[in-house]
Amino acid sequence: MSDLTKIPPHIEQELSRRNFLSCAGMLAVSFSSIAPPAFAQGSAGPYPDPNFRQLDSWIVIHQDNTATFHVGKTDCGQGTGTAFRQMMCDELDIAYDKTNLIMGSTDTTVDQGGSGGSDAIQVDGWPMRRVAAEARRVLLEMGSQKLGVPVGQLTVADAVVSVKAEPSKKVTYGELIGGRRFNVALTGGDVNATTGTAKVKPVQELKLVGKSPQRYDIPPKVDGSLKWAVDMKAPGMVHARNVKPPVAGAKLVSIDESSVRNLPGFVKVVSKGNYVAVVCEREEQAIAASRQLKVNWQKPDTAPFPASEDLFRYMRAATPTSSGRPVTLGDCAAALAGAARVLEADYEIPFQGHTALAPAHAMADPSNGQMTIYSNDMKSYGMRDGIAKFLGMPRDRVRVVWMEGPQGFGRTAADDAGFEAAWLAKELNRPVRVQWMRHEETAWDTKGPAFACKLRGGLDAQGNLIAFEYESQACDHNHVGYNEAETVLISQLMGTRKSPPNRGGGAVPDDSYAIPNRRMVSHVVGLPLIWETPLRTGNLRDPNGPQVTFASESFIDEMAAAAKADPVAFRMKLLTSGTGDDSGFKRARAIACVKAAAEAYGWDARPAPKRVGSGEILTGRGIAYSFRSQTVVAEIAEVEVNRRAGHVWVRRLVCAHDCGLVINPEGLRRTTECGMLHSLSRALKEEVTFDTEKVTSVDWTSHPTLTHLDSPARIDVVLVNGDPNPNRPDLPHYGGGETICKPMLAAVGNAIFDATGVRLRRVPFRDARVLSALKAAGV
Amino acid sequence: MTLKVNGNTHTVDVDPATPLLYILRNDLGLQGPRFGCGSGQCGACTVIVKGNAVRSCITPASAIRDEVTTLEGLAVGGKLHPVQQAWIDEQVPQCGFCQNGQIMTAKVLLDKNPNPTDEQIRTGMANTLCRCMTYYRIQAAIKRAAKARA
Ligand code: FES
Ligand code: FES
């Protein structure tokens, strides 16, 4: 490739670390002084796995006294890359702006799994800190030899080792090792356990952690200079577009290639099983050809699914395909039988899409017997394995180069386009770029499972919550795996049938409430069509959390209202009347968060609902709390409900957030604001609709999303450190992201109840649904 | 056909019915505008023509008679446009994919109305979508840019 600017600078740098002159024309880039990473032995292909037990795989020190960090993660838009750099800089003792970071390319970064589970900081941050501490230890030893002074008499600042008593005696990291390998072996049973012999620093000695350096990835996103995965091109590259079955489960009967053969730029129609793609020289030609191609499909004999308006009836009647083991405490049935007051309610959450701002896309280059996929796949390592298996190629001839893309909220954990691009590139033996169309993505992306939940609760005569029963059906019997060769859509369309399918797990509420009697159980149910279906489910940002928490935290509010208790006080009583706590002190931190949220909001204690006023706009506020893994949040929504239009505007949001040690407070605030709004979109707008043949919500009109008009006027994010020993030197850093998404649906529903006295038990709270509920209640 | 983009004149050999987006991205190497929906619903592909925000995914190249400005053309002499600077100062983007549309639409909004009210910002930006939901910070950044330009 003559124009190297087509390759992003960080990718170019990565590529230059390896001598690929023999491998692929487009990879023939200049050598640099950077030492190559360490690889596992005995690999024949061009892409052996970087060895996580070698320090050189993680950290490279350059002659100019700068450093490059290599980590096996990807950034979905939360600025985790900046946070990794902060943590590693602190442990290595190097200035932030003297470093850069490379993420997620399978041949040059160790496999830390990419992203998922909001565990980047909580789990993967630890090996990063430890290897950086180990590099510092090794460099200090080298400095000791060079300066002829014992390590104990040395100090290090900004990558310069100096003698404490004689600061003019000094040597830089670059002088000690620049451009050469460490050749230091690390230990650890798996990548998460990777460690050297050095210890990480106590929290009090961290200088960058807790500060908010600006995200390094933002300027190139703002000035247009960043090259994204959508921008990748290669010489001889062609463009492909898919032609999806018009009806779910349809069988391909025939393709009339003559319908497009004479179109300009036409290259080929490629198909296998029910997978069909059209390939053309230019992008707009491929789009035109995919629209014009005549394909004869045969509808399935039985309907693939019920229509969306019948979904919950269907789910409630369906025989579970699997059930979780009930979580029980005390004797729930007896407690309900003896309760002074029993409440029962059904909550419903429809399928919701991932619907990234841009559809799935990837470019694959098959030159010289290898396969490189340029992709925004969040789990690039799994994608590499999945594609190698799908194509029947050795793993070490396949690599995935991760590049930035539209945030997919879990969509790219099963990134169809990468598999399609690779398969087409192999078929055509030339580079292929695939991008889905909007209607295709919105209809066929993976879906967050629909939930039907039934809750029962009992109060004693004093208004104490003494029994809590939860039972749910989750429509999640065809959960796609992570970039699995058997379950990505192209594979299913080609006829692969993984048996049994990956059933989803269902889920039950998680909280630290002291309720003496509980019974909680979840079931999974399936739709008639399991394979090749647009209603296949996947992990949607905090899988199951928003659904289950909508039901449980709304119902807790119902119980509070029945007890005529203030919703904050009711929750505080349930939290504080418990004894003991888990190792992460979640109960103590929940108390701190609920308190902090109420204080930040200016919560005045009173039962809900507020007395409904007479004006056109009714206002109210609602709270909900939740945790995920070790991170705790409490959120408050303040709403305006237009009683004539049924329109809900959330005008203010508060979040109290406790994820332990915060690496970058400003970054976390942004993530929190945006995570709350994403869940607000699920509360107010998002629903997948379908008839008995196909998904009918296919674009931003039929599958609406939150817009600028819906943005709250004010958002307060309070970062809480509710640890009982908040200044401990080993304060852990937990995951910041997905917990934020859990309580919002309930907080909004609770606020609408406060404003109107009407309890909405089905999201989204679109105008028509709210209006009819208000009318039915005479509000 | 001939297109003037960011001060440069280009001659391209394409079907004039081709949406401008694909010519900018694939022929001229200008990748600020991006594909989000292809149907004028999201704004990811926005460029500026004659002071108006234009959705290049639904605009045939043949309809373009005037100079096109893309995100890459906003900075002058290496100095970022105040809207871009406000985006960095406010740390607006999450993934950033939509931000071309947000920045270009905001620039046009401020050119037409240098001191917009909150309501005018909301309505002016209403059809420019962000799935990361950076709306709150975008609105703050627009106010910041308005101040910086005043
Ligand atoms: S891509 Fe043009 S408006 Fe969405
Ligand atoms: S920042 Fe990700 S879509 Fe807007």
Side-chain angles (χ1 to χ4, degrees):
Chain A
M1 179 183 233
S2 56
D3 183 5
L4 287 179
T5 59
K6 294 257 170 70
I7 301 178
H10 75 284
I11 299 298
E12 184 181 347
Q13 188 186 348
E14 269 184 35
L15 301 179
S16 68
R17 285 160 50 84
R18 307 275 307 278
N19 175 6
F20 284 135
L21 285 166
S22 59
C23 173
M26 67 167 305
L27 308 180
V29 296
S30 61
F31 292 100
S32 81
S33 63
I34 307 165
F39 295 103
Q41 295 299 306
S43 188
Y47 309 125
D49 292 299
N51 181 357
F52 70 84
R53 292 196 193 88
Q54 280 291 329
L55 189 52
D56 293 306
S57 301
W58 298 82
I59 295 174
V60 176
I61 308 275
H62 309 290
Q63 278 163 348
D64 62 357
N65 206 26
T66 61
T68 302
F69 303 133
H70 295 257
V71 301
K73 303 297 290 177
T74 57
D75 189 342
C76 297
Q78 282 75 38
T80 46
T82 299
F84 298 150
R85 262 172 77 179
Q86 289 176 254
M87 297 163 96
M88 294 180 80
C89 284
D90 259 347
E91 298 292 349
L92 182 60
D93 269 324
I94 189 168
Y96 178 83
D97 57 6
K98 290 277 177 342
T99 61
N100 68 5
L101 178 104
I102 290 170
M103 282 190 274
S105 285
T106 60
D107 62 326
T108 56
T109 54
V110 303
D111 179 358
Q112 292 187 282
S115 42
S118 297
D119 62 0
I121 304 293
Q122 175 162 351
V123 177
D124 305 281
W126 284 108
M128 293 180 204
R129 285 182 66 184
R130 289 191 296 259
V131 300
E134 178 69 358
R136 178 183 185 275
R137 185 193 68 74
V138 172
L139 286 157
L140 268 171
E141 268 182 11
M142 297 171 89
S144 158
Q145 285 204 344
K146 181 98 180 176
L147 299 171
V149 171
V151 168
Q153 294 175 22
L154 295 175
T155 179
V156 50
D158 284 351
V160 179
V161 181
S162 59
V163 179
K164 280 184 202 160
E166 203 181 337
S168 62
K169 270 182 101 175
K170 59 186 178 186
V171 61
T172 68
Y173 285 175
E175 286 161 355
L176 288 169
I177 200 173
R180 286 178 294 122
R181 289 162 176 264
F182 283 100
N183 280 324
V184 169
L186 306 169
T187 57
D190 60 30
V191 70
N192 292 342
T194 309
T195 189
T197 59
K199 282 202 169 57
V200 299
K201 291 178 178 175
V203 167
Q204 285 71 16
E205 284 179 28
L206 302 175
K207 296 186 194 115
L208 278 164
V209 165
K211 303 239 166 37
S212 299
Q214 293 194 335
R215 280 172 51 180
Y216 63 83
D217 59 319
I218 285 183
K221 287 175 176 176
V222 161
D223 67 19
S225 62
L226 183 75
K227 296 297 176 207
W228 303 67
V230 284
D231 300 333
M232 281 312 288
K233 295 181 175 62
M237 183 183 88
V238 285
H239 292 266
R241 285 295 182 281
N242 297 323
V243 178
K244 288 261 168 30
V247 166
K251 298 271 166 287
L252 178 73
V253 178
S254 61
I255 299 175
D256 176 9
E257 198 186 282
S258 69
S259 60
V260 295
R261 196 176 294 136
N262 297 325
L263 287 180
F266 174 76
V267 174
K268 202 172 177 182
V269 174
V270 194
S271 82
K272 184 175 173 187
N274 297 319
Y275 175 74
V276 182
V278 190
V279 183
C280 292
E281 297 288 347
R282 290 183 58 91
E283 188 166 13
E284 68 277 6
Q285 294 167 341
I287 295 170
S290 70
R291 287 182 178 141
Q292 194 168 314
L293 183 72
K294 285 209 180 95
V295 184
N296 191 0
W297 300 93
Q298 186 195 339
K299 286 188 183 190
D301 299 335
T302 49
F305 28 70
S308 41
E309 54 268 30
D310 296 323
L311 177 66
F312 294 107
R313 219 171 332 182
Y314 172 91
M315 284 168 60
R316 287 206 157 87
T319 307
T321 50
S322 61
S323 296
R325 196 182 327 173
V327 177
T328 58
L329 185 70
D331 186 341
C332 200
L336 283 169
R341 176 109 196 255
V342 173
L343 255 54
E344 183 175 321
D346 287 324
Y347 281 84
E348 294 170 341
I349 303 91
F351 285 107
Q352 295 183 316
H354 290 76
T355 54
L357 189 85
H361 56 273
M363 196 273 277
D365 176 359
S367 46
N368 298 335
Q370 59 85 57
M371 184 68 74
T372 296
I373 301 101
Y374 298 90
S375 162
N376 71 322
D377 190 291
M378 62 193 279
K379 295 184 186 293
S380 42
Y381 304 89
M383 178 189 237
R384 177 234 196 164
D385 292 353
I387 288 179
K389 188 170 175 194
F390 186 59
L391 300 182
M393 284 179 75
R395 281 178 79 249
D396 57 14
R397 302 201 80 80
V398 179
R399 70 169 170 170
V400 175
V401 175
W402 175 79
M403 298 171 75
E404 298 258 8
Q407 178 172 194
F409 320 107
R411 162 70 168 120
T412 57
D415 188 45
D416 303 296
F419 283 74
E420 292 163 359
W423 185 77
L424 290 165
K426 196 172 176 219
E427 286 295 299
L428 276 79
N429 195 25
R430 60 194 286 193
V432 177
R433 181 179 182 279
V434 176
Q435 183 164 316
W436 288 22
M437 299 304 288
R438 177 80 259 159
H439 61 89
E440 192 184 354
E441 180 75 16
T442 308
W444 286 85
D445 74 350
T446 44
K447 307 292 186 290
F451 268 69
C453 310
K454 182 176 282 305
L455 292 102
R456 291 206 298 160
L459 294 170
D460 67 12
Q462 289 74 45
N464 296 308
L465 182 56
I466 53 164
F468 181 90
E469 193 179 74
Y470 166 98
E471 185 160 14
S472 65
Q473 283 88 20
C475 200
D476 199 13
H477 183 53
N478 51 1
H479 204 92
V480 298
Y482 293 145
N483 287 309
E484 254 182 349
E486 296 83 8
T487 56
V488 290
L489 190 58
I490 182 175
S491 180
Q492 294 188 12
L493 286 166
M494 287 178 174
T496 312
R497 297 287 179 262
K498 187 180 179 189
S499 182
N502 305 329
R503 67 172 188 88
V508 301
D510 255 346
D511 59 61
S512 300
Y513 294 142
I515 305 170
N517 302 287
R518 290 201 197 220
R519 186 172 187 280
M520 306 191 291
V521 65
S522 66
H523 311 282
V524 172
V525 297
L527 296 168
L529 183 68
I530 297 171
W531 304 110
E532 308 178 39
T533 170
L535 296 179
R536 65 210 170 105
T537 47
N539 287 350
L540 173 58
R541 204 181 199 178
D542 185 30
N544 302 335
Q547 295 97 317
V548 175
T549 312
F550 171 52
S552 64
E553 276 291 284
S554 299
F555 191 65
I556 289 289
D557 228 63
E558 293 200 52
M559 299 306 292
K564 300 208 166 24
D566 170 70
V568 168
F570 191 77
R571 286 176 171 80
M572 283 299 265
K573 192 169 162 198
L574 288 172
L575 290 169
T576 54
S577 58
T579 52
D581 204 346
D582 70 341
S583 60
F585 304 108
K586 282 206 294 269
R587 194 175 67 88
R589 292 160 59 230
I591 292 167
C593 280
V594 171
K595 219 188 222 164
E599 266 168 26
Y601 177 76
W603 187 277
D604 56 317
R606 57 169 176 77
K610 186 167 145 181
R611 266 223 331 268
V612 174
S614 55
E616 183 171 322
I617 302 293
L618 305 175
T619 62
R621 65 350 186 212
I623 187 167
Y625 122 87
S626 194
F627 63 77
R628 174 191 157 104
S629 181
Q630 295 295 345
T631 297
V632 184
V633 298
E635 293 172 359
I636 294 175
E638 182 178 284
V639 298
E640 286 188 358
V641 182
N642 183 316
R643 76 200 316 174
R644 258 172 234 146
H647 184 70
V648 176
W649 179 43
V650 174
R651 68 182 183 192
R652 186 176 173 205
L653 287 173
V654 174
C655 178
H657 188 291
D658 185 348
C659 61
L661 180 64
V662 176
I663 310 300
N664 186 315
E666 286 305 310
L668 178 58
R669 276 179 218 284
R670 304 294 186 284
T671 295
T672 304
E673 291 163 6
C674 296
M676 284 200 289
L677 294 194
H678 181 212
S679 250
L680 182 58
S681 187
R682 295 175 68 175
L684 297 180
K685 309 271 179 178
E686 298 180 32
E687 172 167 7
V688 178
T689 58
F690 37 94
D691 59 24
T692 56
E693 292 189 324
K694 63 188 178 303
V695 170
T696 52
S697 48
V698 295
D699 58 15
W700 296 122
T701 307
S702 49
H703 187 281
T705 175
L706 209 73
T707 76
H708 273 283
L709 294 173
D710 307 294
S711 182
R714 176 175 170 189
I715 303 180
D716 300 281
V717 176
V718 193
L719 303 183
V720 178
N721 179 354
D723 195 282
N725 183 1
N727 298 315
R728 58 183 164 127
D730 60 345
L731 187 71
H733 29 80
Y734 303 126
E738 288 172 279
T739 320
I740 300 158
C741 301
K742 273 180 121 165
M744 182 53 55
L745 283 61
V748 176
N750 295 343
I752 294 171
F753 173 74
D754 187 48
T756 65
V758 175
R759 177 60 63 181
L760 298 175
R761 299 190 182 87
R762 160 104 153 78
V763 285
F765 309 135
R766 288 187 188 163
D767 295 9
R769 176 168 291 131
V770 174
L771 189 62
S772 80
L774 294 181
K775 281 209 171 125
V779 176
Chain B
M1 61 181 302
T2 304
L3 279 171
K4 194 168 178 207
V5 186
N6 299 337
N8 302 317
T9 305
H10 304 266
T11 307
V12 285
D13 179 20
V14 293
D15 178 351
T18 304
L20 178 63
L21 176 66
Y22 303 109
I23 298 174
L24 294 173
R25 288 185 54 79
N26 297 338
D27 297 296
L28 307 186
L30 292 165
Q31 300 177 327
R34 284 182 281 275
F35 180 93
C37 66
S39 53
Q41 293 183 338
C42 74
C45 61
T46 303
V47 298
I48 299 175
V49 185
K50 267 177 115 177
N52 291 315
V54 168
R55 302 204 157 177
S56 65
C57 70
I58 48 166
T59 307
S62 57
I64 301 291
R65 306 254 176 272
D66 300 273
E67 176 165 6
V68 176
T69 303
T70 71
L71 183 65
E72 291 93 333
L74 279 197
V76 180
K79 193 173 177 325
L80 291 179
H81 187 275
V83 170
Q84 291 171 303
Q85 190 55 50
W87 248 246
I88 293 175
D89 295 341
E90 203 64 47
Q91 293 282 288
V92 168
Q94 288 276 293
C95 79
F97 201 91
C98 72
Q99 299 295 343
N100 168 70
Q102 308 290 353
I103 290 169
M104 300 301 270
T105 311
K107 181 196 183 279
V108 169
L109 177 85
L110 288 175
D111 284 347
K112 292 185 174 173
N113 179 359
N115 202 2
T117 62
D118 289 4
E119 209 38 51
Q120 287 166 335
I121 292 175
R122 284 165 183 282
T123 39
M125 301 296 295
N127 299 320
T128 309
L129 304 179
C130 172
R131 279 296 287 165
C132 295
M133 311 290 171
T134 58
Y135 300 125
Y136 184 67
R137 287 288 163 181
I138 291 171
Q139 293 176 16
I142 292 175
K143 285 184 239 174
R144 189 190 273 254
K147 249 193 220 141
R149 279 169 27 140

